[in-house]
Amino acid sequence: MALPKGEKAAEITDHGGSLGRARRLFPQAPEPWVDLSTGINPHSYPLFELPATALSRLPEPERVCELNEIAAGVYGCPSAFNIVSAPGTQILLPRVASLVAPGRALVLGPTYAEHARAAALAGHAVSEVADIDALADADLAIVVNPNNPDGRVVTRENLLGLARALHSKGGLLVVDEAFMDVGPREQSVAGDVGHGGLVVLKSFGKFFGLAGLRLGFAIAAEPVARRLETELGPWAVAGPALEYGARALGDHAWQNEMRERLRSEMARLDTLLSRFDIPVRGGTPLFRYLEIPHAADLFDLFGEQGILVRNFAWSSTALRIGLPGGEAQWAKLERALQSSARQRVSGQRKTIS
Amino acid sequence: MALPKGEKAAEITDHGGSLGRARRLFPQAPEPWVDLSTGINPHSYPLFELPATALSRLPEPERVCELNEIAAGVYGCPSAFNIVSAPGTQILLPRVASLVAPGRALVLGPTYAEHARAAALAGHAVSEVADIDALADADLAIVVNPNNPDGRVVTRENLLGLARALHSKGGLLVVDEAFMDVGPREQSVAGDVGHGGLVVLKSFGKFFGLAGLRLGFAIAAEPVARRLETELGPWAVAGPALEYGARALGDHAWQNEMRERLRSEMARLDTLLSRFDIPVRGGTPLFRYLEIPHAADLFDLFGEQGILVRNFAWSSTALRIGLPGGEAQWAKLERALQSSARQRVSGQRKTIS
C-alpha cells in the first residue's frame, strides 16, 4: 500500500505510547508493533508478586511516608516532608499551575504539551518562549529539564537564579525532571526547593519502565507540598504503585546498572542511525531526537512496517525515537532503516532521470 | 493494660482502614488485627495475573473507553460519554466541587467528611444540614446515598426534584453512590444525569473489595464529564485498575452472588450484635451503624483485643462496624462481644454495690 507522503504523519498530535492509535493509522502493519514512540524504559524494573492487601486494602498512610522517605533520598531533596506522591505527575500539573494566581505562564519550548494545557486550565495566559532568559517575565515559568523531546539542558545555576527572581515577586518556577534519572543529575534542583519559588516534578514510570502503575512526585517547600497533598486527599497513590515505588526507588544497584545500560543502548542507537545518514540532534539516553527533512516519510514508512515513533504537530522535520526493547526490535528497526534508505535512493534516481 | 474509658476513642478522627494507626493506638493488641473499620467488602473480587503491559505501558485510551462502556452498563447511565474514570473518587471531589463557582455548599450530614473538606478547598462556604429540604438553598448540594455511616436513603424522586431546582438557578447536586452497589439500586440517579445539574460518584473499590487499586467514576452530563476528564488529563487510571475494573464490572454473576452473600452476612452480624443487646440503627450490607451509650468503651475494648471499628469525632455514641472476613474473624468478634458483656455486668455490679 503506497501512502501519500506524510499523510499519516499529520494525524498524530498525541503523546505517543498508544498502539490503538498506531493500529488505526496503519491498519495493515504487521503485528506485534514495536513501540518506540515514548521515552519509557523498555527494560522494566523486575516484576514481583504483590501482597493481596496491596489491592484489597486502602493504602496505608505509613507506607506513603516510607515511599516519600525513599524518594527523598534518591532525588536528593531536603526531607520526606518536601515530597508529595501522586498517581502520576500528569494529574499534578493543573494543581501545581494553580499554586500561583492566574497570570502569565511561560513555557520553555517546544516541550511536553501538557504543561501549557495545564497552565491554561489553571487560568493562566500561556505562551511558549525559546530562551530561558525570557522566563523571568512570568508569574509561572515551566522548564522541562532535560527537555523532552530535544534533550536541551538548563544548568542548575540558571534555574536557581530564575527561581530566586520569580520568588521575589511572588512567582513560581516549575522544573519537570521526568527524565533526570538518566542525567545530567548534577543539574537537578530537587535539593533546592527549601528556599521556595520552586516545584520539581519527578516521574517514576519512565526510568523504571512502569508507566502503567501511575506514580509521580512533586517536590517543593514544605507548606507547598502540604497544600498539594491536601488537594490530592487521602489514598492518592494505589497500593501497587506504593509497593513498586518503595522497592524500585530503594534499589540503587538496579538504578546504577540501568543507567549504564541505557547509555550504552543510546550509543548503539546513534551508531545505527548514523549508518543510515540520520544524525541525532539531541535527546536523553531514553530517547533520541532527530531533525531530518524526510521525517514525515520516515514516520509513515516505519508505521507501515509496524514501528511507531513519535512525530510532532509543531514540526514537519522532528522525530523522537525511543530505545528498542530487545534484539528482535533492533533487527526490525534496522530492516526498516534499510528499506527507507532503498526508497530514498530509488526516489533520487527517479528525480534525476 | 487498663485504659481510661474512651481515651483512645477521642484520638481517631480518620476514615478507618489504617492498621498503622490501630497499632499506634493499641500497641499491645494481639496480631493479626481484624479490621472492621471500613465499609470495604472483605471478599475481594478474585485476583488474577495481570499482563505485564498493564504495569509497563501507558494505559491505552481504548481500554479506558471499554471500561467506561462496561461501567455505563452496570450503573445504568445513559452512555459511556457520561462517565469519567478516575484513580478513586476521592481525587475527584475537589474537582467536582469546583464545577460551580465558590458559593454556599450544603452537605446532608453527618456523612463522609471528605465532601465538606473538598467543597471548602474549592472555595465554598460549607455547612452541614440534617434535612434534605434544606439543601435547596445551596449552590452546591452534596448527598451520600445510601449514607455513610447511617445508611439513610434519600429517594430518587426527592433527589431529582432537588437537582432540577438547583439546576434552574445554576447550582449542582452531587450524589455520592459509593455504597449503592449493595442497594437500594432503584434509588440510584446515575441514569438521570443527562438533564444536567447532577453529578453522581461511584466507587469501585468498596463493593469489589479492591480499595488499593484506586478506581472511581464520576457520572454527569456529557460536557461536564468532558470537563472533569480534561482536569484529570491523560492516563488518569492505572493499568491494574483498568484491567480489574473491566473484568469485575463485566462479571454480573459475581456481582449478583456477592449482593446475596453480603445481605446474608449483614443479617448474621445483626443477629450476633442483638445477642449482646446491641441494636443496629442503620447501615448498608457492607457496614452496620450503631448508636450506643457505651460506644467509646466498646471501641477501646475491641481495640485492646485487636479489632478495629470506626468511631466518629462528632458523636460519642456512634460506631460503624464492617463485615468480618471469615470464620476466625467472626469468632474473634464474638469473643470480644462476650468479654464486653462480662465487663459491663461487672461494672454494673460495682455501681450497685
Side-chain angles (χ1 to χ4, degrees):
Chain A
M1 185 181 65
L3 284 163
K5 278 190 183 179
E7 185 188 81
K8 297 289 183 183
E11 291 176 32
I12 285 203
T13 55
D14 76 328
H15 301 293
S18 169
L19 291 184
R21 190 181 285 253
R23 291 186 182 111
R24 282 197 307 277
L25 281 171
F26 302 101
Q28 308 199 9
E31 296 275 344
W33 273 85
V34 174
D35 183 9
L36 307 181
S37 70
T38 74
I40 298 164
N41 185 352
H43 315 298
S44 301
Y45 188 81
L47 300 189
F48 58 87
E49 200 173 344
L50 290 166
T53 49
L55 275 64
S56 61
R57 291 185 55 81
L58 283 167
E60 284 282 344
E62 272 79 359
R63 195 65 176 145
V64 178
C65 294
E66 284 166 19
L67 172 64
N68 290 352
E69 284 280 357
I70 294 166
V74 168
Y75 297 136
C77 73
S79 94
F81 298 112
N82 298 102
I83 292 220
V84 185
S85 47
T89 41
Q90 177 63 47
I91 215 162
L92 281 169
L93 300 187
R95 306 281 66 78
V96 169
S98 298
L99 289 170
V100 281
R104 189 176 185 199
L106 298 177
V107 182
L108 188 62
T111 191
Y112 181 57
E114 286 293 317
H115 285 292
R117 194 181 71 80
L121 260 180
H124 298 284
V126 188
S127 308
E128 188 176 290
V129 298
D131 182 8
I132 174 91
D133 293 333
L135 292 174
D137 295 332
D139 299 298
L140 172 70
I142 299 165
V143 176
V144 180
N145 202 42
N147 192 42
N148 170 11
D150 62 4
R152 172 189 52 202
V153 172
V154 180
T155 65
R156 175 167 170 266
E157 191 184 345
N158 280 347
L159 289 170
L160 294 182
L162 177 61
R164 264 194 306 273
L166 294 176
H167 191 43
S168 69
K169 52 170 195 157
L172 178 69
L173 172 63
V174 176
V175 181
D176 180 352
E177 297 188 352
F179 291 99
M180 187 56 95
D181 306 84
V182 288
R185 287 187 294 158
E186 66 277 13
Q187 305 302 344
S188 171
V189 291
D192 304 295
V193 294
H195 306 296
L198 176 64
V199 173
V200 179
L201 298 171
K202 293 281 189 181
S203 166
F204 174 79
K206 294 178 181 70
F207 177 54
F208 290 97
L210 294 168
L213 276 179
R214 312 311 297 138
L215 178 62
F217 302 92
I219 305 174
E222 265 194 62
V224 176
R226 290 296 76 70
R227 178 164 162 194
L228 290 172
E229 204 165 60
T230 298
E231 297 244 12
L232 296 178
W235 319 297
V237 174
L242 278 179
E243 294 309 311
Y244 271 95
R247 187 178 299 193
L249 283 167
D251 189 343
H252 301 279
W254 186 91
Q255 291 165 44
N256 289 330
E257 283 165 29
M258 185 52 65
R259 268 189 279 270
E260 285 308 311
R261 178 175 182 179
L262 293 172
R263 265 193 288 270
S264 139
E265 295 187 359
M266 168 187 81
R268 179 178 172 182
L269 182 54
D270 289 3
T271 303
L272 177 64
L273 292 168
S274 77
R275 270 181 46 209
F276 295 93
D277 296 323
I278 298 176
V280 171
R281 284 288 299 271
T284 76
L286 282 168
F287 57 83
R288 308 310 282 158
Y289 178 69
L290 318 179
E291 275 185 1
I292 48 174
H294 58 296
D297 290 344
L298 198 59
F299 177 87
D300 284 354
L301 186 138
F302 278 173
E304 287 158 35
Q305 304 195 27
I307 298 174
L308 186 66
V309 296
R310 175 80 162 91
N311 61 356
F312 300 92
W314 45 264
S315 167
S316 60
T317 58
L319 282 184
R320 192 187 65 192
I321 303 192
L323 293 176
E327 289 311 319
Q329 297 199 356
W330 282 101
K332 195 164 174 177
L333 176 62
E334 185 165 353
R335 282 196 302 275
L337 286 164
Q338 280 162 349
S339 143
S340 159
R342 273 195 303 273
Q343 281 204 3
R344 290 181 67 203
V345 168
S346 136
Q348 280 161 1
R349 280 201 195 117
K350 276 185 206 156
T351 311
I352 293 163
S353 64
Chain B
M1 184 182 65
L3 284 164
K5 278 190 185 182
E7 185 187 82
K8 297 289 182 183
E11 290 176 32
I12 285 201
T13 54
D14 77 327
H15 301 292
S18 169
L19 291 184
R21 190 181 286 253
R23 290 185 182 114
R24 283 197 306 278
L25 282 171
F26 302 102
Q28 308 200 9
E31 296 277 343
W33 273 86
V34 174
D35 183 8
L36 307 180
S37 69
T38 75
I40 298 164
N41 185 352
H43 315 298
S44 301
Y45 188 82
L47 301 190
F48 57 89
E49 200 172 343
L50 290 166
T53 50
L55 275 64
S56 61
R57 290 185 55 81
L58 283 167
E60 283 282 345
E62 273 78 359
R63 196 62 176 146
V64 178
C65 294
E66 285 166 18
L67 173 64
N68 290 351
E69 284 281 357
I70 294 166
V74 167
Y75 296 138
C77 73
S79 94
F81 299 111
N82 298 102
I83 292 221
V84 184
S85 47
T89 42
Q90 176 65 46
I91 215 162
L92 281 168
L93 300 186
R95 307 281 66 78
V96 169
S98 299
L99 290 170
V100 282
R104 189 176 185 198
L106 298 177
V107 183
L108 188 62
T111 191
Y112 181 57
E114 286 294 315
H115 285 292
R117 193 181 72 80
L121 260 180
H124 297 284
V126 188
S127 308
E128 188 176 292
V129 298
D131 182 8
I132 174 90
D133 293 331
L135 293 174
D137 295 333
D139 300 296
L140 173 70
I142 299 164
V143 176
V144 181
N145 201 42
N147 191 43
N148 169 11
D150 62 4
R152 172 188 52 201
V153 172
V154 180
T155 66
R156 176 168 170 265
E157 192 185 344
N158 279 348
L159 290 170
L160 294 183
L162 178 61
R164 264 194 305 274
L166 294 176
H167 191 42
S168 68
K169 52 169 196 160
L172 178 69
L173 172 63
V174 176
V175 181
D176 180 352
E177 297 189 351
F179 291 99
M180 186 57 94
D181 307 82
V182 289
R185 287 187 294 156
E186 66 277 12
Q187 304 303 343
S188 171
V189 291
D192 304 293
V193 294
H195 307 296
L198 177 64
V199 173
V200 178
L201 298 170
K202 293 281 189 181
S203 166
F204 174 79
K206 294 179 180 70
F207 177 54
F208 290 97
L210 293 169
L213 277 180
R214 311 312 296 139
L215 178 62
F217 302 93
I219 305 175
E222 265 194 62
V224 176
R226 289 297 76 70
R227 177 162 164 194
L228 289 172
E229 205 165 61
T230 298
E231 297 243 12
L232 295 179
W235 320 297
V237 173
L242 279 179
E243 293 310 312
Y244 271 96
R247 185 177 300 193
L249 283 167
D251 189 344
H252 300 280
W254 186 91
Q255 291 166 42
N256 289 331
E257 283 165 29
M258 185 51 66
R259 270 189 277 271
E260 284 307 311
R261 178 174 183 180
L262 293 172
R263 266 193 287 271
S264 138
E265 295 187 359
M266 169 187 81
R268 178 177 174 182
L269 182 53
D270 288 3
T271 304
L272 177 63
L273 292 168
S274 77
R275 270 180 47 207
F276 294 93
D277 296 322
I278 298 176
V280 171
R281 284 287 299 270
T284 76
L286 282 168
F287 57 82
R288 308 309 283 158
Y289 178 69
L290 318 178
E291 276 185 1
I292 48 174
H294 59 295
D297 290 345
L298 198 60
F299 178 87
D300 285 355
L301 186 138
F302 277 172
E304 288 158 33
Q305 303 194 26
I307 298 173
L308 185 65
V309 296
R310 176 80 161 93
N311 61 356
F312 299 92
W314 44 264
S315 167
S316 60
T317 58
L319 282 184
R320 192 186 67 193
I321 303 192
L323 292 177
E327 288 310 320
Q329 296 199 357
W330 282 101
K332 195 164 174 178
L333 176 61
E334 184 165 356
R335 281 196 302 276
L337 286 164
Q338 280 163 348
S339 143
S340 159
R342 274 195 302 274
Q343 281 204 4
R344 291 181 67 203
V345 169
S346 136
Q348 281 162 358
R349 281 202 194 117
K350 277 184 204 155
T351 312
I352 293 164
S353 65

